[in-house]
Amino acid sequence: MRARGFRPLLLDWGTPGEDELRMTFDEAIGGTMREALSAAAECAHGPVPVVGYCMGGTMAVALACLATGEISGLAVLAAPWDFHAGFGGPPPAISAVGAALDGMIATLGCLPVDAI
């Protein structure tokens, strides 16, 4: 990408610490992500394209709604907006493991990305 004149920046959440475990989506998108976007736009001297994958794509859509002037384009991959959309509730596979996932969240304080 660099050879084509792009300077890709990555927002990597890493393993959530105590502060991140308490963070709401409003704080993550309106705070952390918006601050990162502002820094990228400042570096680029103008709006920048944003790409998001999976939950990052879903969050990027929300960010784009908040910061239209700092985003020149938006691409999302495998990014569901409404996890409860559809007919008849969650897919049977999700219903079958729901209790186990709840137990994992209760024990670890979050759902590890590997479980997702």
Side-chain angles (χ1 to χ4, degrees), residues 31-44 46 48 63 67 70:
T32 305
M33 290 179 69
R34 192 146 190 197
E35 290 168 13
L37 174 63
S38 293
E42 186 177 318
C43 262
V48 295
L63 177 66
E70 292 180 290

Side-chain angles (χ1 to χ4, degrees), residues 21-45:
L21 289 172
R22 289 190 301 274
M23 189 180 290
T24 66
F25 272 113
D26 287 346
E27 292 167 335
I29 296 164
T32 305
M33 290 179 69
R34 192 146 190 197
E35 290 168 13
L37 174 63
S38 293
E42 186 177 318
C43 262
H45 306 291

Side-chain angles (χ1 to χ4, degrees), residues 8-14 28 32-34 36-37 51 56 59 63:
L9 303 173
L10 174 67
L11 181 58
D12 183 355
W13 296 92
T32 305
M33 290 179 69
R34 192 146 190 197
L37 174 63
V51 178
M59 294 171 75
L63 177 66

Side-chain angles (χ1 to χ4, degrees), residues 22-116:
R22 289 190 301 274
M23 189 180 290
T24 66
F25 272 113
D26 287 346
E27 292 167 335
I29 296 164
T32 305
M33 290 179 69
R34 192 146 190 197
E35 290 168 13
L37 174 63
S38 293
E42 186 177 318
C43 262
H45 306 291
V48 295
V50 173
V51 178
Y53 172 72
C54 200
M55 181 59 78
T58 302
M59 294 171 75
V61 170
L63 177 66
C65 292
L66 294 174
T68 56
E70 292 180 290
I71 295 178
S72 63
L74 175 66
V76 296
L77 308 161
W81 183 253
D82 184 349
F83 293 99
H84 301 288
F87 305 100
I94 299 297
S95 297
V97 298
L101 295 176
D102 288 342
M104 191 178 298
I105 293 167
T107 301
L108 302 174
C110 66
L111 186 60
V113 70
D114 292 340
I116 296 171

